[in-house]
Amino acid sequence: MHSPLRTRVRAAVTGLLAATALTAPLALVAAPAQAAAGDDWLHVQGNTIVDASGKEVVLSGVNWFGFNASERVFHGLWSGNITEITQQMANRGINTVRVPISTQLLLEWKAGTFLKPNVNTYANPELEGKNSLQIFEYFLTLCQRYGIKVFLDVHSAEADNSGHVYNMWWKGSITTEDVYAGWEWAAARWKNDDTIVGADIKNEPHGTQGSTERAKWDGTTDKDNFKHFAETASKKILAINPNWLVFVEGVEIYPKEGVSWTSTGLTDYYGTWWGGNLRGVRDFPIDLGANQDQLVYSPHDYGPLVFDQKWFQKDFDKASLTADVWGPNWLFIHDEDIAPLLIGEWGGRLGQDPRQDKWMAALRDLIAERKLSQTFWVLNPNSGDTGGLLLDDWKTWDEVKYSTMLKPTLFQHGGKFVGLDHEVPLGGVGSTTGISISQVGGGTSDTTAPSVPGGLKAGTPTASSVPLSWTASTDTGGSGVAGYEVYRGSTLVGTTTSTSYTVTGLTADTAYSFSVRAKDGAGNVSAASTAVSVRTAAGTGDTTAPSVPTGLTAGTATKTSVPLTWTASTDTGGSGLAGYDVYRGTTLVGSTTTPSYTVTGLTAGTSYSFTVRAKDAAGNVSAASAALTASTAPDVATGSCSVAYTANGWSSGFTAAVKVTNTGTTALNGWTLAFDFPSGQTLTQGWSATWAQSGAKVTATNADWNRVLAPGASVEIGFSGTHTGTNTAPTAFTVNGASCTR
């Protein structure tokens, strides 16, 4: 995607963690548990991506890098929580995540050999003890929970933070055959898991006429012909998993009419961004035979802050970019109904160059108008030339970039974000911001409601519940039956996609009236079914409360939550155990049907008292469990840390020692030191902590052995670096985001 005059360094963080190779037992590389449903696979019709029923879908999401780099895991897990970040993405309408990986990592996963991932398990207790493959598959379970889909992108041959800079899909000991083998392993491993919907064959193949190696696009089977490589890799993948979409990017240059690929003339080629030149599709389209309906072309496009292309050096607007750049390089594929497009990378910083803002707004509008699929670059704040949707704390969102640039391109219907799962709404069960693709109609012409549900009947009631069932409705309007609404009198008590529902929370020996309405994908709702009246059971005479919960314990707390577990209660009264109520002091904070619950919304560094009560179906409630006192993780306040910084330098380099002291009254259970280089210095390596640099900002996160810093205790860490003649010492330091004294 880049001019040879400029190299875009996406990941400024250098992987300095001393990674220890571990050969895992077979259990660690066993096939993952497969998704129960396989109804979310996608394919292609003309220039659109559709589901199995032919309903148009739009993949709208982000990139989250790190698995491609030396850390071999999502960046940011040194401070951000993987569950919270994933849920935030879903709640904000991101229905797809493009996950960059490397061929080297796929081969390591295939061999069952793992390097230690750079994860702060204090911030991510759910990842404790997991290797990089297990972390990735845990991420897949989160995506299932929140209705997000994933596709993999081989970003580079080697696991290298700057691996994408290399032109080709092979490098060093990684051969083209290795790339095929890695993809075949991935296709087989996740063959039955429709959380992963596709494969981006290779990120940004590039090179110009002057490069020693450059990716070309023609009808040959030459080693450097990206078209042949991508076609071959796609066929190998689809032979194993014919349900995956395959995303094929462009190259950098394409010869002008009458020019051979052997030419080295400076004006003989059309040039554009790495991965952005798909002109060759007109003359040499990808041919996947019987699996042609799985092909999506995926160009990349950037603004002048990444590289000041010639079209940015004159007045431009959306119309001129469409005519001069996007149209001839890739938009013709969509406009001529050849295949769908997914803009695999676009994005950048706002408010620094009016031309940058103008370009991004123009591409945003094109994506929205054409209903193009896209994955925004990038979630990570540590992308040096684009910045991220998240800010440096890996928790706070750049609201301006999100709301003005990404949000207008997201897949939306009826004021809600649309996920690609047919059962789980985007954001998860109970989401208020998202819906599932099943809830979207096939068009706006459907104004016909489904038929009224028939045959509503009640099963055997208990003292607190009534099971209902009915005959399925039909829909002649074309958008399909999306589900049913269940009413108690005039009160909506639940929704379901099946033809049965159990109403709970009722009072014993009480008469109720129930009805059901059907709804379709266009939002039309039927009239109510014939009501059914039923009386709940009088009860069994159960006046015996369940046994008191015992063994209440707390897991690893965060700054805002405490996970609780306890031994299950028993019920001898006959009505059966119904669940548990969890109390913080005398306040009911939640209920659960399992002997575990995570209390959230707490204050950092605060002690709380928790109890649990068991309840049965007859409404009897046990006495409270023995109280448990547990504290949230501390949030270091200003003045509760001090830093001493000393450096020894020479003409172009230096070493520095940093002594961090906890001057507070509570222990630090996990810490991250941060400061800015004031004179353009560059970190080269560090010790006694995991060191990283993004722009001027440097962070050092504790090692396992020095994770806990008691009150009054100190830890000494250090690093080496380079400078260009000036080596001014940093003046401001923070620990876990709070300022330290010097």
Side-chain angles (χ1 to χ4, degrees), residues 581-657:
D581 292 331
V582 181
Y583 290 81
R584 184 187 69 239
T586 59
T587 302
L588 176 65
V589 293
S591 300
T592 176
T593 58
T594 64
S596 64
Y597 186 82
T598 298
V599 183
T600 59
L602 305 177
T603 301
T606 303
S607 179
Y608 294 93
S609 177
F610 300 102
T611 56
V612 180
R613 295 174 181 264
K615 55 188 178 183
D616 64 17
N620 301 301
V621 180
S622 75
S625 68
L628 169 72
T629 299
S631 298
T632 50
D635 191 2
V636 178
T638 301
S640 60
C641 55
S642 66
V643 171
Y645 179 95
T646 57
N648 295 304
W650 55 94
S651 59
S652 61
F654 69 103
T655 60

Side-chain angles (χ1 to χ4, degrees), residues 72 109 121 150 156 212 215 267 280 309 341 385 404 422 429 447 539 549 592 605 627 635 669 717:
R72 291 167 170 80
W109 283 355
T121 54
V150 173
S156 56
T212 302
T267 61
Q309 299 275 17
L341 293 172
D385 56 358
T404 62
H422 286 74
V429 176
T447 58
T592 176
D635 191 2
N669 188 0
I717 58 179

Side-chain angles (χ1 to χ4, degrees), residues 208-210 214 253 255 258-269:
T208 66
Q209 67 279 2
R214 55 92 182 93
I253 61 171
V259 175
S260 165
W261 277 100
T262 59
S263 172
T264 58
L266 294 178
T267 61
D268 285 350
Y269 294 84

Side-chain angles (χ1 to χ4, degrees), residues 80-409:
N81 176 264
I82 189 171
T83 304
E84 293 175 359
I85 292 174
T86 305
Q87 186 175 22
Q88 287 174 1
M89 287 193 290
N91 288 340
R92 288 174 174 265
I94 291 165
N95 68 21
T96 307
V97 178
R98 178 178 181 255
V99 179
I101 55 172
S102 68
T103 294
Q104 182 179 357
L105 180 63
L106 286 179
L107 297 178
E108 289 171 354
W109 283 355
K110 178 183 178 183
T113 301
F114 304 94
L115 301 186
K116 184 179 180 180
N118 184 9
V119 173
N120 178 354
T121 54
Y122 174 72
N124 292 275
E126 58 267 61
L127 303 183
E128 182 74 52
K130 288 182 169 60
N131 61 43
S132 59
L133 176 55
Q134 291 168 329
I135 291 172
F136 175 70
E137 290 183 339
Y138 180 79
F139 171 66
L140 293 183
T141 67
L142 294 176
C143 289
Q144 274 190 315
R145 181 188 306 171
Y146 299 123
I148 294 176
K149 297 302 178 184
V150 173
F151 68 93
L152 296 173
D153 148 51
V154 164
H155 215 64
S156 56
E158 298 176 338
D160 183 341
N161 294 40
S162 299
H164 64 285
V165 174
Y166 184 68
N167 309 34
M168 313 304 284
W169 43 97
W170 68 82
K171 184 173 187 274
S173 63
I174 304 296
T175 67
T176 296
E177 291 300 322
D178 288 331
V179 185
Y180 295 152
W183 271 129
E184 287 174 320
W185 176 85
R189 184 170 183 87
W190 296 295
K191 178 178 180 179
N192 298 318
D193 187 349
D194 59 6
T195 307
I196 300 186
V197 296
D200 187 336
I201 302 302
K202 173 62 178 74
N203 176 73
E204 296 180 351
H206 62 276
T208 66
Q209 67 279 2
S211 304
T212 302
E213 292 178 331
R214 55 92 182 93
K216 69 175 183 177
W217 188 298
D218 64 13
T220 70
T221 58
D222 294 344
K223 177 184 179 181
D224 59 356
N225 178 17
F226 179 67
K227 183 260 184 184
H228 173 68
F229 161 74
E231 197 171 79
T232 303
S234 297
K235 289 179 178 178
K236 289 178 178 290
I237 289 169
L238 294 171
I240 297 169
N241 185 357
N243 292 310
W244 266 9
L245 296 175
V246 288
F247 302 93
V248 177
E249 300 184 25
V251 290
E252 183 179 0
I253 61 171
Y254 193 72
K256 295 180 178 178
E257 292 73 10
V259 175
S260 165
W261 277 100
T262 59
S263 172
T264 58
L266 294 178
T267 61
D268 285 350
Y269 294 84
Y270 299 105
T272 186
W273 301 104
W274 296 357
N277 198 325
L278 283 160
R279 291 173 183 260
V281 171
R282 191 177 296 284
D283 299 321
F284 305 101
I286 296 287
D287 181 5
L288 300 182
N291 295 123
Q292 192 70 16
D293 64 348
Q294 298 304 121
L295 172 65
V296 179
Y297 289 104
S298 184
H300 294 182
D301 199 81
Y302 281 97
L305 288 183
V306 171
F307 178 71
D308 199 3
Q309 299 275 17
K310 61 183 179 181
W311 47 86
F312 297 131
Q313 298 170 19
K314 59 183 181 180
D315 189 32
F316 67 88
D317 56 18
K318 182 161 73 75
S320 66
L321 290 171
T322 300
D324 301 338
V325 184
W326 301 332
N329 281 313
W330 45 263
L331 189 57
F332 74 92
I333 295 172
H334 173 274
D335 288 352
E336 297 176 20
D337 207 33
I338 296 171
L341 293 172
L342 179 139
I343 314 302
E345 292 184 20
W346 69 290
R349 300 184 186 277
L350 289 175
Q352 296 186 7
D353 184 334
R355 299 176 306 153
Q356 169 80 13
D357 299 352
K358 187 177 181 180
W359 160 80
M360 202 183 318
L363 186 52
R364 172 202 65 196
D365 293 345
L366 179 80
I367 291 170
E369 291 166 6
R370 297 293 212 283
K371 296 175 66 177
L372 302 180
S373 292
Q374 57 81 26
T375 48
F376 192 83
W377 189 272
V378 61
L379 183 71
N380 305 51
N382 59 319
S383 179
D385 56 358
T386 66
L389 289 165
L390 289 176
L391 301 182
D392 288 341
D393 62 1
W394 287 91
K395 294 179 176 64
T396 308
W397 284 66
D398 184 331
E399 296 294 352
V400 174
K401 183 185 290 190
Y402 166 75
S403 61
T404 62
M405 293 300 163
L406 178 59
K407 187 176 179 181
T409 70

Side-chain angles (χ1 to χ4, degrees), residues 634 636-637 639-643 659-671 707-715 735-736 740-741:
V636 178
S640 60
C641 55
S642 66
V643 171
K659 181 178 181 181
V660 181
T661 302
N662 179 5
T663 59
T665 59
T666 58
L668 286 176
N669 188 0
W671 50 267
R707 175 190 188 89
V708 177
L709 198 57
S714 300
V715 61
V735 168
N736 294 352
C740 300
T741 59

